[in-house]
Amino acid sequence: QVQPVESGGGSVQPGGSLRLSCLVSGWMYSRYCMAWFREGPGKVREEVAGIDSDGRTRYADSVKGRFTISQGNAKNTLYLQMSNLKPEDTAVYYCAANPYSAITAEPLRPDLFLYWGEGTQVTVSS
């Protein structure tokens, strides 16, 4: 059974950094897309960043230049390095995975991802 599990959330001051990790147990697909989404207070779930099995990446405009998505050597791990964090980055961050899909020029849609973690809270506040 495929199950993503996030870790690494926490509280940080503006300008600080955090690294989120996601371990996707039971992952056996060679072609896929994995992504980070977030859901802020009173907001809908939105894309943060995605990566596919060919190494293509995409980022939401709001995080470009500050966040970096990557995978470990084991392709069932996903990371999000977050730098220069802002209060508006406060949200629950979710790891998602989808087999047989790829990064395109289109924004990532949460409804197209099959597997989800339970989320990890990131709070940016002074």
Side-chain angles (χ1 to χ4, degrees), residues 13-84:
Q13 292 186 339
S17 299
L18 280 175
R19 189 191 195 209
L20 304 183
S21 300
C22 178
L23 176 63
V24 186
S25 60
W27 193 249
M28 300 177 294
Y29 302 96
S30 59
R31 297 201 64 80
Y32 57 83
C33 182
M34 291 187 180
W36 291 96
F37 291 84
R38 67 186 182 186
E39 195 168 313
K43 297 182 180 179
V44 299
R45 193 166 298 189
E46 62 178 4
E47 70 163 347
V48 175
I51 188 168
D52 67 17
S53 48
D54 288 332
R56 286 182 289 254
T57 60
R58 66 165 282 121
Y59 296 88
D61 288 343
S62 59
V63 306
K64 281 180 182 175
R66 301 188 298 121
F67 291 10
T68 303
I69 191 171
S70 63
Q71 286 200 278
N73 290 332
K75 296 305 181 183
N76 66 337
T77 55
L78 185 68
Y79 303 101
L80 185 68
Q81 179 66 47
M82 304 185 293
S83 302
N84 190 21

Side-chain angles (χ1 to χ4, degrees), residues 97-112:
N98 204 42
Y100 312 119
S101 59
I103 294 293
T104 69
E106 296 298 315
L108 299 169
R109 287 173 46 185
D111 60 311
L112 297 182

